[in-house]
Amino acid sequence: MNKSYINGVGCISAQNTFGTDFLDEFMINDSLNVLFAMQPSYKEVIPPAAIRRMAKGVKMGIYASNSALKEANCTVPDAIITGTGMGCVEDSEKFLKGIIDNKEQFLTPTSFIQSTHNTVGAQIALGMQCKGYNFTYVNGAVSFESALLDAKLQLENQEANSILVGGIDETSEHTLSLYKLINLLKNDEDRPFTILDSNSKGVVFGEGASFFVLENKPTDNSYAVIENIAMINQLNEDEVEGFIKQFLEANKLDSNDIDVVVLGNNGDNQYDHFYNSPKTLFNAIPQVYYKHLCGEFNTASTFGFWVAAKILKNQFIPEVLLMNNMPSKEYEYILLYNQYCGKDHSLILLKNVKK
């Protein structure tokens, strides 16, 4: 059975993850409850006439995917698989506002056409004339993990040799105001917004796009091997440890074999207790967190996946990511655990290519 190798990555986030080395530069502002993505210069990859008509999410997706393909030296992949929670929500809002303002008459279809969740994958395919399998998963906080599992199965079953897979979500003004109304967003009076010692409800929201080229053969530039992926919709807090141990046993491993654990803590004191069991289970190894850098959104786990791939390739963990202070060593296995609002629990196991 073929393996799934990460041979190229591209990431746009609230940090400068497209113009520097692995988090050489970073910015943390604990007074913001929304972290907007840093925007690169798009004119190198998108025709200027098209840039002004594209939603932010589409532009981020095209740029991140182009970066991943370029790094993997892949011109056209066999398939494109995308995960998104909210899709092109900016254009969705424009279309709905147009319906109200124009009293359901004389509507232009542009915003509606560009508001669908599969717009990003479609625009990427059109740009490179990729006529292969193109699918978008809209599955809450495991949208990216669903896309990743699809890609892994296709590579292992020899249905494709190279697949572009990624996750993308954007913010929009009206949707953020609704999140604030239902207390999904941190209240202004809860500043400073922290993650590890948070005592308030809600999260700091973010946005971003991360894409990865997966292939069934390693290269000199390979980051990691995707060993396995697991998802479950609902778990009680006391079931998390069993979920992790069962996953490791299925891969003929135990907790002592894991060298780094990447956790999706987001500072919401209603649900961050789900990470207590993994912290205890893996208290003797480096514990990594990342949502203080990118914010929380449905596909924020793509940023954690990018972080894990970089750690395995560079054999280095930037201090800004560490939750504890454990001595560094050679990293072979990395386990990622994420959940959102107590649901959509996911595990991803990555392995060093050279092992």
Side-chain angles (χ1 to χ4, degrees):
M1 184 179 290
N2 291 330
K3 293 185 177 181
S4 302
Y5 297 92
I6 306 169
N7 289 343
V9 304
C11 179
I12 293 180
S13 68
Q15 306 300 322
N16 185 4
T17 47
F18 50 84
T20 63
D21 290 331
F22 182 31
L23 294 177
D24 279 352
E25 301 174 8
F26 59 87
M27 180 179 63
I28 299 176
N29 189 336
D30 58 11
S31 65
L32 299 176
N33 56 7
V34 180
L35 301 180
F36 296 102
M38 295 183 67
Q39 302 296 307
S41 175
Y42 291 114
K43 60 184 180 181
E44 285 80 13
V45 296
I46 307 173
I51 292 176
R52 62 184 179 86
R53 296 195 302 270
M54 286 184 176
K56 179 169 52 176
V58 176
K59 290 185 287 189
M60 291 193 298
I62 291 175
Y63 189 96
S65 60
N66 184 273
S67 299
L69 289 164
K70 186 176 180 180
E71 188 176 30
N73 197 25
C74 176
T75 306
V76 180
D78 297 327
I80 298 173
I81 309 176
T82 309
T84 181
M86 295 295 292
C88 298
V89 68
E90 259 188 351
D91 277 310
S92 297
E93 288 186 5
K94 286 179 184 178
F95 180 69
L96 293 173
K97 187 176 184 300
I99 291 177
I100 296 170
D101 292 346
N102 295 289
K103 298 180 180 178
E104 302 183 21
Q105 300 180 63
F106 315 116
L107 295 172
T108 59
T110 307
S111 292
F112 174 73
I113 293 167
Q114 295 179 345
S115 70
T116 56
H117 290 73
N118 60 357
T119 299
V120 178
Q123 290 290 342
I124 293 171
L126 283 170
M128 67 179 75
Q129 290 299 296
C130 176
K131 299 178 175 64
Y133 178 90
N134 194 316
F135 202 87
T136 298
Y137 284 90
V138 185
N139 199 13
V142 290
S143 297
F144 169 67
E145 288 81 354
S146 300
L148 194 65
L149 181 59
D150 187 351
K152 183 176 183 293
L153 290 172
Q154 288 198 42
L155 289 171
E156 289 181 351
N157 291 298
Q158 301 179 352
E159 296 176 19
N161 296 316
S162 62
I163 297 177
L164 178 68
V165 60
I168 184 304
D169 273 298
E170 64 183 16
T171 57
S172 61
E173 185 178 353
H174 183 66
T175 300
L176 287 173
S177 68
L178 296 178
Y179 286 163
K180 196 166 186 177
L181 280 174
I182 58 176
N183 295 318
L184 282 179
L185 199 64
K186 291 281 189 188
N187 291 316
D188 294 339
E189 56 266 25
D190 293 328
R191 292 189 179 97
F193 305 124
T194 58
I195 286 183
L196 298 187
D197 55 354
S198 173
N199 58 4
S200 60
K201 297 179 181 179
V203 301
V204 173
F205 259 82
E207 61 181 1
S210 297
F211 275 82
F212 310 89
V213 174
L214 307 186
E215 296 178 317
N216 54 15
K217 292 181 181 179
T219 67
D220 294 337
N221 199 44
S222 294
Y223 284 78
V225 182
I226 303 173
E227 290 288 289
N228 211 341
I229 304 154
M231 295 168 277
I232 189 168
N233 181 246
Q234 290 188 336
L235 282 175
N236 295 323
E237 183 183 356
D238 57 3
E239 296 174 316
V240 173
E241 184 175 340
F243 176 51
I244 294 172
K245 286 183 174 179
Q246 186 177 19
F247 176 76
L248 293 176
E249 287 172 8
N251 291 279
K252 299 179 181 178
L253 299 171
D254 60 38
S255 58
N256 296 320
D257 294 312
I258 303 301
D259 302 301
V260 182
V261 62
V262 179
L263 301 174
N265 293 68
N266 61 18
D268 189 338
N269 69 352
Q270 299 175 100
Y271 304 105
D272 265 6
H273 55 80
F274 279 95
Y275 297 102
N276 291 338
S277 294
K279 285 180 184 177
T280 303
L281 184 62
F282 300 108
N283 63 354
I285 62 172
Q287 298 173 356
V288 167
Y289 73 128
Y290 56 91
K291 289 180 182 174
H292 59 307
L293 298 178
C294 68
E296 176 66 283
F297 49 101
N298 281 301
T299 52
S301 57
T302 57
F303 188 85
F305 190 79
W306 176 83
V307 162
K310 287 280 190 178
I311 290 173
L312 279 178
K313 184 175 182 179
N314 298 333
Q315 290 293 298
F316 166 72
I317 305 176
E319 190 174 345
V320 68
L321 297 171
L322 285 170
M323 300 173 73
N324 58 359
N325 187 20
M326 300 303 297
S328 61
K329 60 174 184 176
E330 190 174 3
Y331 307 127
E332 181 179 0
Y333 284 103
I334 292 186
L335 180 69
L336 297 89
Y337 168 58
N338 187 57
Q339 59 82 32
Y340 181 58
C341 291
K343 297 181 180 180
D344 292 339
H345 303 260
S346 66
L347 292 169
I348 302 175
L349 180 65
L350 298 181
K351 184 182 179 183
N352 190 335
V353 177
K354 298 178 182 178
K355 289 292 182 178

